[in-house]
Amino acid sequence: MKVKVGSLFLLSLCAVIAYLTYNTYGNWSFAFALRGRRLLAFGLVAIASSFSTFTLQTMTQNRYLTPGILGLDQLYVLIQTLSFFLVGGIQILSQETTTMFLLSILATALLGSLLIGFFYQNKVHHLFLLLMAGMICGTMFSSYSTFLQVLMDPNEYDMLQGRLFASFNHVHTQHLIWAAGIILLGGQCLLCLIPELNVLHLGSRQAASLGIPVSFMHRFLLFLIALLTGTASALVGPTIFLGFVVATITYQVLPTFRHGWLFLGGTLIAFLLLVAGQFFVEQVFGWTITVNTVIQFLGGLFFISKLILERKKG
């Protein structure tokens, strides 16, 4: 296990060196400042996506689910659409302050937590009721967003689209600082709960028989998932398939139930994929596509192929 994680770390280090030094044309300080800021964003998104995905999959005992199943990504899209529709895209973009950034995170996490608290009841199959409600609410949020976008001015709609697709090219330094604090705090909380997560991997009934307060633990973990997902979405935009791809690869590379190794390995794999993807976008494709397009396209193909392979096994 240590050898595999060490190999992932070395690969990530090589990717970082290649990304920072390739085609700098002697402008070292400018390249390091610009690309270093993106690397920090890559690291934060890697932590948020991997930690939240593994936690949700452990809770649900299902390796196909991601935080997107709770409708949090569509909730973020609805919040941004409402902001542009009511306030105006020019004013929103001209007032790109830390307060607006934190309000976006707070709204996503708070509304997500209220949604979770409303549907999460102490009943049999309450977690699956929450997942079904999340899917329905995600569809509802998407429908409302589409309706408002149809009514918007085309110029406002064009500005909005820049917010609704994951982009690492225009990350504000102040936003990075706040996002780093929130994501690292949420990640540290999950690291402290690794023993409980390892027990939850056995199932809710077994965890309850071993003294784990399952209901409270589920609520707290779902809040942390909403917080991490909301922060990552507010920082760079929704990255729907990233968590699924990272989790699936990590389970193949590190076949273990210990969440310490899963969190570490998943973060390294997510970071490696993001850095390598951004390198190809900049140096190979010449900015003709975005890293989000690559993630969504390959992630969708990966998800479909995984379903087909599992069906054939069954």
Side-chain angles (χ1 to χ4, degrees):
M1 202 70 65
K2 293 182 180 179
V3 175
K4 293 181 179 179
V5 172
S7 300
L8 289 174
F9 178 78
L10 290 177
L11 287 174
S12 301
L13 184 61
C14 293
V16 168
I17 294 174
Y19 180 70
L20 287 177
T21 58
Y22 189 76
N23 276 351
T24 57
Y25 304 107
N27 299 320
W28 297 99
S29 59
F30 176 76
F32 282 6
L34 182 63
R35 298 178 182 180
R37 184 170 55 187
R38 291 174 187 159
L39 287 175
L40 180 56
F42 292 151
L44 294 177
V45 173
I47 293 173
S49 62
S50 60
F51 278 45
S52 58
T53 302
F54 285 121
T55 301
L56 181 64
Q57 291 182 351
T58 296
M59 292 170 54
T60 59
Q61 300 288 297
N62 191 314
R63 294 187 177 184
Y64 289 93
L65 299 181
T66 64
I69 197 70
L70 298 175
L72 298 176
D73 293 324
Q74 295 302 326
L75 177 60
Y76 170 80
V77 171
L78 178 61
I79 292 172
Q80 294 300 316
T81 303
L82 278 173
S83 301
F84 274 68
F85 184 81
L86 298 176
V87 180
I90 297 177
Q91 294 185 8
I92 291 292
L93 295 179
S94 63
Q95 299 175 358
E96 190 69 26
T97 60
T98 303
T99 303
M100 295 294 294
F101 175 72
L102 293 177
L103 285 176
S104 179
I105 296 175
L106 180 63
T108 304
L110 183 60
L111 292 176
S113 300
L114 289 176
L115 176 68
I116 291 169
F118 180 78
F119 288 104
Y120 190 95
Q121 304 294 332
N122 293 322
K123 299 178 181 178
V124 180
H125 304 308
H126 47 78
L127 190 57
F128 295 99
L129 174 64
L130 172 64
L131 296 176
M132 288 188 291
M135 295 177 63
I136 296 171
C137 289
T139 304
M140 180 183 67
F141 296 152
S142 178
S143 300
Y144 287 157
S145 300
T146 303
F147 174 73
L148 293 176
Q149 290 169 13
V150 170
L151 300 178
M152 292 175 63
D153 181 85
N155 295 324
E156 299 280 343
Y157 177 77
D158 184 60
M159 296 178 188
L160 175 64
Q161 293 307 302
R163 283 291 194 89
L164 302 184
F165 291 95
S167 174
F168 297 88
N169 301 328
H170 305 289
V171 180
H172 296 270
T173 304
Q174 291 183 345
H175 295 177
L176 272 175
I177 297 174
W178 283 99
I182 297 173
I183 290 176
L184 292 178
L185 178 61
Q188 181 60 41
C189 291
L190 288 177
L191 289 177
C192 293
L193 294 174
I194 284 178
E196 286 78 6
L197 287 171
N198 291 337
V199 176
L200 282 175
H201 183 79
L202 301 174
S204 298
R205 293 183 178 179
Q206 290 80 358
S209 65
L210 293 174
I212 301 295
V214 176
S215 180
F216 171 78
M217 189 61 60
H218 279 177
R219 289 177 182 271
F220 184 61
L221 291 176
L222 288 169
F223 170 74
L224 291 178
I225 291 172
L227 182 64
L228 291 175
T229 305
T231 305
S233 298
L235 181 63
V236 301
T239 53
I240 300 175
F241 283 107
L242 179 62
F244 171 77
V245 174
V246 169
T248 304
I249 296 175
T250 305
Y251 286 129
Q252 297 296 322
V253 177
L254 303 174
T256 180
F257 67 92
R258 298 182 181 276
H259 286 74
W261 292 111
L262 292 176
F263 286 159
L264 179 57
T267 300
L268 290 174
I269 290 175
F271 182 75
L272 179 61
L273 291 177
L274 289 172
V275 175
Q278 187 68 24
F279 179 85
F280 280 99
V281 165
E282 294 183 16
Q283 307 301 335
V284 178
F285 297 104
W287 297 99
T288 55
I289 60 175
T290 63
V291 66
N292 178 65
T293 304
V294 177
I295 293 173
Q296 300 295 71
F297 177 73
L298 296 180
L301 291 179
F302 193 74
F303 182 75
I304 294 174
S305 62
K306 180 71 174 177
L307 290 177
I308 294 175
L309 291 175
E310 289 295 329
R311 182 179 181 182
K312 289 182 177 180
K313 290 181 181 179

